Structures are given as C-alpha cells and as structure tokens.
Amino acid sequence: MDTMRPVIIAANWKMNTTPADAGELARTIAGRTREPDVLRVICPPSVCLAAVRDAVTGEGIGVGAQNLHHELAGAYTGEVSAPMLAGLVTWVILGHSERRRDAGETDALIGRKLGRAVEAGFRPILCVGELLDDRESGRATDVVRIQLAGALDGHDPATLRAAGLVIAYEPVWAIGTGRTASGADAGAMADAIRAALRDAGWGSAADDVPVLYGGSATSANIAEFLAEPGIDGALVGGASLKPDEMAGMVGRAAITAAARRAAGA
Ligand code: PGA
C-alpha cells in the first residue's frame, strides 16, 4: 500500500559547486536535515562526488551521480561510466530533461543507461516530464507514458524493482522557472505513471515504486506535493543548494513519513 513507500528528498546540484566547496555545503545540509525517516540524496557534479561522499560519511545520506554513460569504457571523450562511479555513488539520476535537451538523450539511450545503473547496483531516479506545449494541448500523460515505455523497454520489472527504481515526474516547464505543477496535477501524473507500469507488466509492484515531483520545488510549496498520496518526495534543483531550503523540505517530508508510518503500523 501507499504508506509503505519511503519519503525521499533528492538534491540535484546540476552544474553548481566545486570540489573546494561541495563538501562543506553537503556537511551543512547533512547537519540541518537529520530526519531518520526521510531518505536524503545529494547528487553533485561528478568532480565533487568524492568530496561529498567523504563529507557525509556516517550521515545516512545517499550520494548520486547526475548521469552515467551507456557503455562501460572506451573512446567517449568527457564521459563518465558506471565502473568509474563505483565507490562514489549509490544513486544515479537518469534522463533528466536538461540532458534530453542538451545532450540529445533519447528514451532508448536512457534505457541503456538504466541497464548500466542496475548492473552497477546504483539506485536509479528516472526522470520523465512533458513540455509546456504538451501540457497545454492535453498530451502530458501520453508524453510521459511514451518516455516511460521507451526507457523501460526490455527491462525486467522484478529487476528494476529490486534495484529500487524511482521515477521523478518533472514537467519541463516547471524546472528552474519558479512555476510549478499543481499538487493535484502532479498526483494525477503519479497515478498515470503507476498505471503505465501496471500495463507494462509490473502488476501490483507498480504501487511500490516511489514517484517524486520535480520543478521549482521549495520549502514553501513542498507541502502541496507531499499532501498527494501518490507523491513520495521531490527531486530538487535550485533550492537544494540552500541549507535553509533543504532543512525546510526535509522537515516537511518527515511529517509525511511519520504519518505514513502511523498509518502503516
Ligand atoms: P529546479 O530543478 O528545482 O531548479 O526546478 C529541478 C530539477 O531539474 O531536478
């Protein structure tokens, strides 16, 4: 049932911080967000991973990459592969809309990356979400279903479930814009995502997949998303670089986690 899913606040630092300052920021955030019932994840730039990993040792915070390559090694200038990330991360973001936009990532390519992540034992956060035009023309759900089907094609549901697959619903028009989806729209999309998984052969395991909201999430609006029973937390960009914001969001997430625990007990 819904209450058994974890509550997750995942920080996507994008192309911000340096190896010189990332550890300090991670330490500050760790110290201000100690809520044992909330799964906290920090995804810094790849060159900051070691600093963040070292800074949060013993804090119960997951460290994640923002991407990985679909091949294990070879002539791929500038890329980072799963074996390179071993020992640095336990999570990885895949298919972020900025990579779809800037690096031309397709659903099929994201699906290959998903395979690499699972092989490496990393917990994947698969990002999906529609453009503004898709939303305004009533195609948002179709677009997300196509993205999901493309990335998950050929993957065994049981394997992905065992890998702890998380889906982040991030409407592209809400990312970094200060605009957000409504809680109700995000909740409806979470339901559509789980329905698509059920249709794809997941059966009732679809109900165990955490779905996060992403797109201008802040401490001021997180409650609207966490009030949705189908939403299990947030993937946060801009606000995740601010310790006060992280403290507010994780604090609010702890209330949801406690309510779920009470309902499930
Ligand atoms: P934002 O980014 O919170 O800055 O909108 C979210 C994301 O891209 O994951």
Side-chain angles (χ1 to χ4, degrees):
M1 67 197 259
D2 289 353
T3 51
M4 302 315 290
R5 294 193 302 265
V7 180
I8 303 169
I9 300 292
N12 174 10
W13 285 0
K14 307 192 180 185
M15 199 171 72
N16 296 293
T17 70
T18 68
D21 58 29
E24 181 65 25
L25 180 59
R27 224 180 336 268
T28 304
I29 290 172
R32 303 226 18 222
T33 59
R34 289 199 182 102
E35 295 287 356
D37 287 345
V38 179
L39 217 42
R40 297 166 295 165
V41 185
I42 297 179
C43 304
S46 55
V47 294
C48 301
L49 283 168
V52 169
R53 175 202 57 192
D54 293 348
V56 301
T57 299
E59 288 282 0
I61 291 183
V63 177
Q66 297 173 12
N67 175 42
L68 55 69
H69 198 265
H70 59 281
E71 295 292 358
L72 294 173
Y76 303 101
T77 303
E79 296 289 343
V80 175
S81 69
M84 297 174 191
L85 293 167
L88 290 170
V89 309
T90 52
W91 294 69
V92 62
I93 297 170
L94 296 174
H96 191 280
S97 65
E98 287 153 13
R99 295 205 53 83
R100 294 175 187 262
R101 180 194 67 201
D102 299 339
E105 292 192 6
T106 61
D107 295 320
L109 187 78
I110 294 161
R112 294 178 67 188
K113 290 170 183 259
L114 186 57
R116 293 300 182 198
V118 171
E119 275 167 24
F122 304 153
R123 188 164 186 180
I125 301 176
L126 172 63
C127 300
V128 294
E130 81 283 0
L131 301 172
L132 185 58
D133 189 42
D134 301 321
R135 168 68 52 184
E136 288 178 340
S137 59
R139 292 195 309 266
T141 307
D142 288 345
V143 166
V144 167
R145 288 180 77 97
I146 289 166
Q147 290 173 336
L148 270 181
L152 300 183
D153 185 40
H155 291 285
D156 172 36
T159 303
L160 291 184
R161 189 183 162 205
L165 176 69
V166 174
I167 309 284
Y169 168 55
E170 300 206 308
V172 178
W173 48 271
I175 294 177
T177 60
R179 290 183 67 181
T180 65
S182 69
D185 283 348
M189 190 62 87
D191 292 345
I193 286 168
R194 294 199 181 90
L197 292 177
R198 270 192 291 278
D199 290 352
W202 283 63
S204 60
D207 294 328
D208 299 334
V209 176
V211 176
L212 311 183
Y213 169 76
S216 299
T218 65
S219 61
N221 61 35
I222 190 94
E224 179 176 355
F225 300 102
L226 288 170
E228 295 294 321
I231 298 282
D232 304 304
L235 178 57
V236 187
S240 75
L241 292 157
K242 300 176 184 157
D244 285 351
E245 283 291 311
M246 283 297 285
M249 289 184 282
V250 174
R252 179 58 188 76
I255 295 172
T256 297
R260 289 183 178 195
R261 183 191 285 274

